[in-house]
Amino acid sequence: SWSPDGRRIATSDAQALVCVRDARSLAEVARFGEREFLEELRWDPQGRRLAACSKRMVRLLDAHDLTLLGSIELPTGGLFS
């Protein structure tokens, strides 16, 4: 997922590792180890926060260092049922 200003890219892999990279150099800026497969990564409009969404949980991360800001457990079935 591209940041709103186009300067960073957020990705997740099969091990549910969230990684933010500089879009020009592809250098890793930050990483966050998730515990379950992610369905979606979304930036807020200002590029300050990143939502990491799985079937059971939405975690809100600081987009600069991927510090966990909060989480919401979803009802059975989640967002993607």
Side-chain angles (χ1 to χ4, degrees), residues 1 3 5-11 17-32 43 47-48 50 62-67:
S1 174
S3 65
D5 63 7
R7 296 180 1 192
R8 292 173 290 162
I9 303 168
T11 61
L17 178 69
V18 177
C19 184
V20 174
R21 296 185 179 275
D22 178 86
R24 286 185 183 230
S25 68
L26 297 180
E28 185 177 290
V29 176
R31 86 172 38 195
F32 177 80
W43 296 84
R48 294 186 200 133
L50 193 62
D62 180 288
H64 297 288
D65 60 8
L66 296 182
T67 302

Side-chain angles (χ1 to χ4, degrees), residues 17-69:
L17 178 69
V18 177
C19 184
V20 174
R21 296 185 179 275
D22 178 86
R24 286 185 183 230
S25 68
L26 297 180
E28 185 177 290
V29 176
R31 86 172 38 195
F32 177 80
E34 187 52 65
R35 291 181 289 279
E36 56 189 273
F37 180 77
L38 296 173
E39 302 282 337
E40 188 87 32
L41 288 171
R42 290 290 175 128
W43 296 84
D44 79 331
Q46 291 79 32
R48 294 186 200 133
R49 293 174 198 88
L50 193 62
C53 308
S54 68
K55 288 189 181 209
R56 297 182 325 107
M57 184 87 58
V58 175
R59 289 181 175 80
L60 187 63
L61 308 170
D62 180 288
H64 297 288
D65 60 8
L66 296 182
T67 302
L68 181 63
L69 301 173

